[in-house]
Amino acid sequence: MSEKNTTDEIDFTSKSSFQNVMNKAKRKQTVKYFIITTITTIFLLTVIYLGSQQIIEKRRANDDSLNYSLIHGANTYQSGSPMGSSDDSNLFSYTEEIAYWKRIGDRDILWSTKSVTTPLFGKRKINGSGTETLIFSEREKRYVNFNQLNGEREIEFYFPQLTYTYLPKELSAATELDNNKIVEVALSFEKPLSLQEASKILGTDNVNWLWVDTSTEAQVNEFKKEALKMENERQVITKSGASAYGFEVLDSDFEIGGQYFLNIIKTLSLDGNYQNKVKKLANDINEKSSPKVSDIRISGAVVTGTPKELERFNNIDIIRTSVIGATVDIY
């Protein structure tokens, strides 16, 4: 007689203790994956953010707008963000406020601001709000530009190659102001002068900035055509201070400033953002070769001083016209 042994199969997976163990293991695995994923994501985002910030910062460091401001804009200079403004930085760009100032005597006046966005890729974007209010003055028989930020007058220059029905002579008015004031006056000449000629005629005292003549024959002819169209509108073609090219007088020497001006042009010629502008500028000064200091011609100047200090410019025949700019009280 054979003995038959039968055993019931035991289903371990259906036991509640086993299910609890499995569920606990799954939860641990899920938490583990979540932690690993979170740490990896944070690490990658940090690397991407730091990398993008490095690229943006490098692009900002390579920005030559400060150099450009040294040769563009009459008697103004670029500085840091104006008081009360804040910069905005994110993963893809950096936006900052840049201020432009005008120095009159020992006072700095905020003249204009620009919002500059440096992206991770692509060209920088520059946004500037309008800073001028154009008003026709019956007393002065011309349109006068006022700066919206401070209410001061904007200077402008008159081209020696153009004919005007009316030329302002505001230098004499500047010399009659209260001697407690420091006055900015833009002078425009009868003809372009070399730096040596200008230095000999003007002297260097109270001369802050020189307007470089960049007008070609073709441009002058275009200006003359435009002037005929504007004749009945009481408007004239001038060069605004904001758009004029020139340089600050350094060490009371026009030629040192002129050489510095050319050095900046050479530096900017390597920058893709300004390459075309300065190439045209250099060609306008000397279209046959790289310009030298002796090639520079100036058609105007910005002078500042007390009314008494400015009196000596009244007797200079080469000055064709003069426009008052900003004024500040000494005390």
Side-chain angles (χ1 to χ4, degrees):
M1 178 177 172
S2 61
E3 189 177 283
K4 188 177 181 181
N5 295 324
T6 60
T7 58
D8 295 332
E9 292 182 3
I10 301 175
D11 186 4
F12 290 101
T13 61
S14 64
K15 297 291 184 180
S16 60
S17 60
F18 180 80
Q19 290 292 335
N20 289 337
V21 171
M22 291 298 295
N23 289 337
K24 188 175 181 180
K26 287 179 180 179
R27 285 196 297 271
K28 285 184 177 181
Q29 193 73 5
T30 301
V31 171
K32 181 180 177 181
Y33 286 149
F34 176 77
I35 293 173
I36 292 173
T37 302
T38 302
I39 293 174
T40 303
T41 301
I42 292 174
F43 175 76
L44 288 175
L45 288 176
T46 302
V47 170
I48 292 172
Y49 178 78
L50 292 176
S52 69
Q53 293 304 296
Q54 278 190 329
I55 294 173
I56 292 173
E57 191 58 35
K58 185 176 180 181
R59 297 194 70 191
R60 289 181 62 213
N62 291 335
D63 172 40
D64 269 326
S65 63
L66 178 59
N67 276 331
Y68 186 66
S69 73
L70 295 175
I71 63 171
H72 186 250
N75 203 32
T76 59
Y77 69 93
Q78 178 182 315
S79 185
S81 302
M83 188 176 296
S85 67
S86 59
D87 297 342
D88 178 31
S89 176
N90 57 48
L91 184 63
F92 301 105
S93 66
Y94 187 95
T95 300
E96 59 188 321
E97 293 291 325
I98 295 178
Y100 294 83
W101 304 79
K102 186 181 287 285
R103 177 160 292 175
I104 307 295
D106 58 0
R107 291 264 303 278
D108 290 332
I109 305 173
L110 180 61
W111 208 251
S112 64
T113 60
K114 289 182 180 179
S115 174
V116 181
T117 300
T118 303
L120 185 59
F121 303 106
K123 292 185 178 181
R124 298 167 73 246
K125 298 177 182 178
I126 301 176
N127 296 312
S129 57
T131 60
E132 297 181 8
T133 300
L134 191 64
I135 299 175
F136 187 81
S137 171
E138 293 289 351
R139 183 182 68 239
E140 298 176 34
K141 299 179 182 179
R142 70 179 182 92
Y143 278 96
V144 181
N145 288 328
F146 291 93
N147 187 289
Q148 291 180 356
L149 288 177
N150 49 47
E152 296 288 343
R153 289 166 175 259
E154 296 272 0
I155 56 176
E156 55 187 320
F157 299 98
Y158 285 68
F159 291 95
Q161 302 91 337
L162 299 183
T163 301
Y164 298 93
T165 56
Y166 173 76
L167 291 170
K169 307 284 186 180
E170 298 178 5
L171 179 59
S172 57
T175 59
E176 295 172 2
L177 294 175
D178 185 344
N179 214 50
N180 186 45
K181 292 187 178 295
I182 296 180
V183 190
E184 175 191 47
V185 182
L187 310 177
S188 300
F189 302 154
E190 290 281 357
K191 62 179 182 179
L193 303 173
S194 70
L195 294 182
Q196 285 188 343
E197 289 172 331
S199 180
K200 184 177 180 180
I201 294 171
L202 293 178
T204 57
D205 290 344
N206 301 104
V207 181
N208 291 66
W209 193 89
L210 300 175
W211 173 36
V212 175
D213 179 50
T214 59
S215 302
T216 63
E217 185 177 349
Q219 289 171 340
V220 170
N221 289 334
E222 285 299 316
F223 289 156
K224 288 179 179 178
K225 292 178 183 178
E226 289 179 33
L228 291 175
K229 298 176 183 178
M230 298 167 59
E231 198 169 16
N232 296 327
E233 300 174 10
R234 299 196 293 186
Q235 289 186 312
V236 294
I237 294 176
T238 60
K239 173 65 73 171
S240 70
S243 63
Y245 284 104
F247 55 90
E248 182 183 1
V249 176
L250 300 174
D251 298 326
S252 298
D253 190 311
F254 290 2
E255 293 194 353
I256 290 177
Q259 186 59 60
Y260 187 57
F261 174 79
L262 295 180
N263 290 345
I264 292 174
I265 290 177
K266 187 176 181 179
T267 299
L268 292 174
S269 66
L270 304 176
D271 188 321
N273 292 316
Y274 299 100
Q275 196 173 52
N276 292 335
K277 290 181 181 179
V278 297
K279 182 178 180 180
K280 182 180 182 305
L281 179 58
N283 287 340
D284 289 343
I285 296 172
N286 187 334
E287 62 181 358
K288 296 181 180 179
S289 64
S290 297
K292 302 182 292 293
V293 171
S294 58
D295 295 322
I296 296 175
R297 296 292 181 271
I298 60 171
S299 294
V302 178
V303 297
T304 61
T306 64
K308 186 173 182 61
E309 289 172 331
L310 297 180
E311 283 181 356
R312 70 179 187 84
F313 295 104
N314 275 326
N315 301 320
I316 298 177
D317 294 336
I318 196 68
I319 298 174
R320 183 188 190 195
T321 183
S322 54
V323 173
I324 293 177
T327 60
V328 298
D329 293 330
I330 298 176
Y331 302 106

